[in-house]
Amino acid sequence: MARNILILGASYGSLLATKLLMAGHNVTLVCRRKTADLINSEGTEVRIKLRDEPTHRAIFSRDLPGKLDATTPQDVDVSRYDLVGLAMQEPQYANHTIRVLMIKIAEAKLPCLSIMNMPPLPYLKRIPALAGMDLEEAFTNAQVWERFEPGLVSLCSPDPQAFRPPEEGANVLHVGLPTNFKAATFADEAHNTLLRELEADIDAVTLDGKDVPVKLKVFDSLFVPLAKWSMLLTGNYRCVTPEGAPQSIREAVHGDIDLSRSIYEHVDAVARRLGADPQDQVPFEKYAKAAESLLKPSSAARAVASGAPFIERVDLLVKLVSHQLGLPNAAIDETVRTVDGRLNESIV
């Protein structure tokens, strides 16, 4: 049965949308009017490399069995949808029109699956050790999340690396590292049935008889998506430099591999203190190997370099958690100071 999925965010969200469309489901992307008009007239194009193929395939939404449309936040009818995907950068949810839409989604009690790097605050409240912590400082506007029931919000580890080529249209996405979305379950088993249905449908998709990477994988553990924290703190946020151009993720990780390992293992240890099992986590060696091919600065570092006043602050979130657990880390504190300093330059 075709499901109707609403995805907030047409950039990274178009990757998950394409996988859903290939599986025969219908997707609405929420974005700016100009981007919505472009998508509604031309569709989307996602470029992805299949296993053992030397070049990327271009997958066009217009050729897929599912139906795609795009709209602005104020024009969304939430009653049409079975599931909401949260695919915008966390600061974008503070926008007035997005906040109004979020209120409608919360009141409709729709299950929300986030593919943000920044875990939604209601999701964090599902973890007993975090439920009573003061973490609002890490969010651009924590009030965005106050109407959401924690059990209705889940999280994917957004491991696939993708970007919009700057010289092309806003409907084009290039996938650099086609790994899987690893999703935690919801509190309600009916919503988990839907999630596993989507998992199976995406898994069955082939292209010219070949398997298509970037699966949706569902896990019972709430902690599987938090494995991304170690990667973000070791690589992505360390792409931000005190002055000058950002460095690539590969440079951030491999410039001082011993320091990188110590940061990674510290964040892993924080997750275990919260309740994670070692099996929920990704070994450092596997991440370091993947980082060898990540030749661009992270999206956070690029945003800082371009003068953005706000970015997703997983670095600050992990610092707040670490300190409240009594596990501070000097390297993480330094990363937060560096990012704070660059963002303050943009505000001034």
Side-chain angles (χ1 to χ4, degrees):
M1 179 178 70
R3 298 288 190 167
N4 297 316
I5 315 297
L6 180 71
I7 297 181
L8 278 61
S11 180
Y12 196 51
S14 68
L15 174 55
L16 179 59
T18 293
K19 297 306 304 265
L20 291 164
L21 294 167
M22 295 180 82
H25 299 288
N26 305 319
V27 177
T28 297
L29 293 172
V30 178
C31 49
R32 295 184 178 92
R33 170 58 63 191
K34 184 177 179 180
T35 303
D37 290 343
L38 176 63
I39 291 172
N40 287 330
S41 63
E42 299 183 12
T44 58
E45 177 185 349
V46 171
R47 297 168 184 165
I48 192 167
K49 187 179 288 188
L50 275 58
R51 186 183 298 275
D52 299 326
E53 290 193 352
T55 58
H56 283 67
R57 297 275 196 116
I59 303 175
F60 297 94
S61 61
R62 62 175 179 265
D63 298 331
L64 304 178
K67 296 179 180 179
L68 176 69
D69 69 300
T71 191
T72 57
Q74 57 267 34
D75 293 328
V76 173
D77 176 5
V78 297
S79 67
R80 292 178 49 202
Y81 301 100
D82 303 301
L83 177 76
V84 177
L86 303 175
M88 292 180 172
Q89 296 281 312
E90 185 271 331
Q92 293 177 282
Y93 293 90
N95 176 277
H96 175 69
T97 57
I98 299 297
R99 287 190 64 187
V100 172
L101 175 56
M102 293 290 276
I103 290 171
K104 294 177 181 177
I105 290 169
E107 290 179 345
K109 298 189 183 302
L110 288 170
C112 297
L113 180 66
S114 172
I115 59 172
M116 300 155 51
N117 277 327
M118 187 70 170
L121 192 53
Y123 181 80
L124 295 176
K125 292 185 182 300
R126 295 179 62 189
I127 298 173
L130 294 177
M133 285 191 184
D134 182 7
L135 304 175
E136 286 79 3
E137 180 188 346
F139 292 82
T140 308
N141 187 342
Q143 291 181 338
V144 171
W145 307 101
E146 64 186 7
R147 296 173 184 261
F148 285 84
E149 295 181 12
L152 289 170
V153 181
S154 192
L155 178 67
C156 282
S157 180
D159 291 344
Q161 300 283 327
F163 64 93
R164 278 178 171 171
E167 70 281 3
E168 301 198 60
N171 59 335
V172 178
L173 189 75
H174 184 94
V175 181
L177 185 65
T179 50
N180 295 324
F181 289 114
K182 302 171 186 174
T185 52
F186 294 102
D188 190 324
E189 197 53 41
H191 298 146
N192 293 333
T193 298
L194 166 60
L195 202 56
R196 295 188 189 281
E197 173 190 317
L198 299 177
E199 174 187 37
D201 291 346
I202 290 173
D203 191 57
V205 168
T206 59
L207 189 60
D208 296 333
K210 296 184 177 182
D211 187 62
V212 183
V214 187
K215 307 287 190 176
L216 175 64
K217 298 294 185 182
V218 181
F219 295 83
D220 291 329
S221 172
L222 288 173
F223 297 96
V224 168
L226 299 193
K228 188 65 183 285
W229 285 7
S230 301
M231 305 175 196
L232 293 169
L233 270 293
T234 303
N236 296 46
Y237 287 96
R238 291 171 67 221
C239 292
V240 180
T241 58
E243 55 188 33
Q247 61 182 340
S248 70
I249 293 178
R250 182 175 71 175
E251 291 171 321
V253 174
H254 289 276
D256 186 338
I257 196 69
D258 290 335
L259 177 59
S260 294
R261 181 188 297 274
S262 71
I263 295 170
Y264 195 97
E265 292 179 350
H266 178 84
V267 181
D268 272 359
V270 168
R272 289 195 297 273
R273 274 285 297 273
L274 296 175
D277 187 281
Q279 292 184 343
D280 297 332
Q281 299 174 320
V282 177
F284 173 75
E285 289 74 17
K286 185 175 182 179
Y287 169 68
K289 179 65 177 178
E292 291 177 357
S293 65
L294 301 179
L295 307 182
K296 295 179 180 295
S298 64
S299 59
R302 295 197 303 271
V304 169
S306 66
F310 302 103
I311 63 169
E312 291 185 321
R313 295 302 306 271
V314 183
D315 62 322
L316 178 54
L317 175 65
V318 173
K319 175 190 172 181
L320 292 172
V321 171
S322 298
H323 279 251
Q324 290 178 69
L325 288 174
L327 295 172
N329 179 274
I332 291 174
D333 291 353
E334 179 60 30
T335 296
V336 171
R337 281 193 293 271
T338 298
V339 176
D340 282 344
R342 295 301 305 276
L343 290 174
N344 287 337
E345 291 173 12
S346 299
I347 294 173
V348 172

